[in-house]
């Protein structure tokens, strides 16, 4: 808090928030980690030790490579740094391998890649107009948004305890959103296309991106009342968006198309044959939890509404 107070006076409160959460991440290095720690160690080994033609066929470990090619290349790049920490972690046959150096490398790799997340949060904050709020720092929308994103407790648990790279991936998505707000639509579309080839679960956001870009970019003019001027539709802009998606997809999937391995890649990305969940109790638990949460929220709202009605009378 002292650091935040000092930073507030000099206008560097964002840097203080980012530095503070980074120090917290360092404190979490020796904490518990889940099987995803071994998943990513195995992917480091696969991409480092084997030719690209075997990446999506390798099955020595049960934790096979099932992320899109850009993430595989990401692991490949990381592996060339990992070899200076502990070469043994890059052996495909060293299942469930762990060492203090492996732990340090994988933890620090997540912390380092969060630099993109921090930058994306800063860019999103620039898109917020906070002129109509109070002078107190804690009342500023930019400060509130920064705290909610940078100090997101769920993200800290998932990435820095459980072990994932979601901060890096969320950074790509937030940066693409910031570019859309800044009217840099082609950059936003490009970043989102890249994100899809890092982690395909973001496909569920694609319809929202498509509708937004169609409305805000492909239609170039509005009527005075804000509705669409239909004659302003630009086929050139639609084609340019399609070209961006095509080029990114070609760069990602092209090598596997050349190797005639696209069916194998897609079978890993969308494993319908084995079911989409590794453990069936997990989705069942969360389905019950979400249903209970919804019921409780409705009950709480009804009680609040009843209380407000009685207070009015």
């Amino acid at each position: 808090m002292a650091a935040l107070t000092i930073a507030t006076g000099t206008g560097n409160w964002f840097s203080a928030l980012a530095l503070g959460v980074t120090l917290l991440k360092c404190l979490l290095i020796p904490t518990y980690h889940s099987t995803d720690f071994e998943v990513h160690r195995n992917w480091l080994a696969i991409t480092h030790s084997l030719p690209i033609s075997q990446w999506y066929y390798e099955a020595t470990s049960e934790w096979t490579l099932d992320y899109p090619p850009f993430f595989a290349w990401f692991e490949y790049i990381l592996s060339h740094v990992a070899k200076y920490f502990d070469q043994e972690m890059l052996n495909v046959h060293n299942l469930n391998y762990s060492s203090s150096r492996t732990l340090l490398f994988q933890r620090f790799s997540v912390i380092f890649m969060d630099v993109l997340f921090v930058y994306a949060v800063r860019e999103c904050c620039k898109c917020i107009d906070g002129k109509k709020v109070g002078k107190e720092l804690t009342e500023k929308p930019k400060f509130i948004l920064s705290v909610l994103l940078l100090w997101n407790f769920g993200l800290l648990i998932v990435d820095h305890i459980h072990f994932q790279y979601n901060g890096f991936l969320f950074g790509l998505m937030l940066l693409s959103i910031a570019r859309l707000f800044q009217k840099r639509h082609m950059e936003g579309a490009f970043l989102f296309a890249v994100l899809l080839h890092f982690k395909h679960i973001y496909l569920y956001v694609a319809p929202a991106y498509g509708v937004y870009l169609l409305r805000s970019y492909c239609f170039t003019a509005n009527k005075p009342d804000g509705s669409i001027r239909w004659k302003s539709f630009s086929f050139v802009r639609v084609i340019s968006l399609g070209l961006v998606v095509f080029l990114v997809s070609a760069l990602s999937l092209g090598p596997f198309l050349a190797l005639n391995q696209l069916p194998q890649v897609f079978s890993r990305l969308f494993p319908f044959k084995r079911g989409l969940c590794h453990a069936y109790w997990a989705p069942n638990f969360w389905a019950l939890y979400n249903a209970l949460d919804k019921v409780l929220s409705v009950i709480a709202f009804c009680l609040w509404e009843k209380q407000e009605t009685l207070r009015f009378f």
Side-chain angles (χ1 to χ4, degrees), residues 158-299:
V158 172
D159 273 22
H160 301 280
I161 297 179
H162 173 80
F163 195 84
Q164 277 285 354
Y165 290 92
N166 287 305
F168 165 65
L169 298 170
F170 280 143
L172 278 173
M173 187 172 75
L174 289 176
L175 190 56
S176 72
I177 292 173
R179 294 297 181 248
L180 295 181
F181 271 100
Q182 296 163 1
K183 306 300 180 184
R184 296 156 66 174
H185 297 93
M186 291 295 287
E187 288 183 49
F190 169 76
L191 288 168
F192 184 70
V194 169
L195 175 62
L196 287 179
H197 287 274
F198 267 97
K199 193 169 183 177
H200 53 304
I201 196 173
Y202 287 95
L203 277 170
Y204 67 84
V205 190
Y209 267 82
V211 171
Y212 180 85
L213 288 168
L214 181 66
R215 173 65 179 83
S216 301
Y217 182 67
C218 296
F219 286 95
T220 59
N222 296 326
K223 295 179 181 179
D225 62 358
S227 59
I228 297 174
R229 192 179 297 276
W230 295 100
K231 292 182 179 180
S232 69
F233 184 77
S234 172
F235 285 101
V236 173
R237 292 192 173 190
V238 173
I239 293 171
S240 65
L241 287 173
L243 187 60
V244 166
V245 175
F246 173 78
L247 291 176
V248 172
S249 300
L251 183 61
S252 171
L253 301 173
F256 300 96
L257 177 63
L259 292 168
N260 198 28
Q261 291 185 358
L262 276 187
Q264 176 63 21
V265 173
F266 287 134
S267 70
R268 286 286 182 86
L269 300 184
F270 304 99
F272 292 106
K273 291 183 179 180
R274 68 164 172 79
L276 296 179
C277 300
H278 288 290
Y280 288 100
W281 65 267
N284 290 332
F285 171 79
W286 285 113
L288 294 172
Y289 168 81
N290 288 330
L292 178 62
D293 183 68
K294 181 63 177 179
V295 170
L296 292 176
S297 67
V298 172
I299 293 173

Side-chain angles (χ1 to χ4, degrees), residues 11 34 40 71 130 132 140 189 201 219 237 242 313:
S34 74
H40 288 280
F71 202 94
K132 297 182 180 180
K140 295 182 181 296
I201 196 173
F219 286 95
R237 292 192 173 190
F313 288 107

Side-chain angles (χ1 to χ4, degrees), residues 130 132-145:
K132 297 182 180 180
V133 298
K135 295 182 179 180
E136 293 294 329
L137 177 63
T138 53
E139 296 177 359
K140 295 182 181 296
K142 292 183 179 182
F143 177 79
I144 295 171
L145 179 63

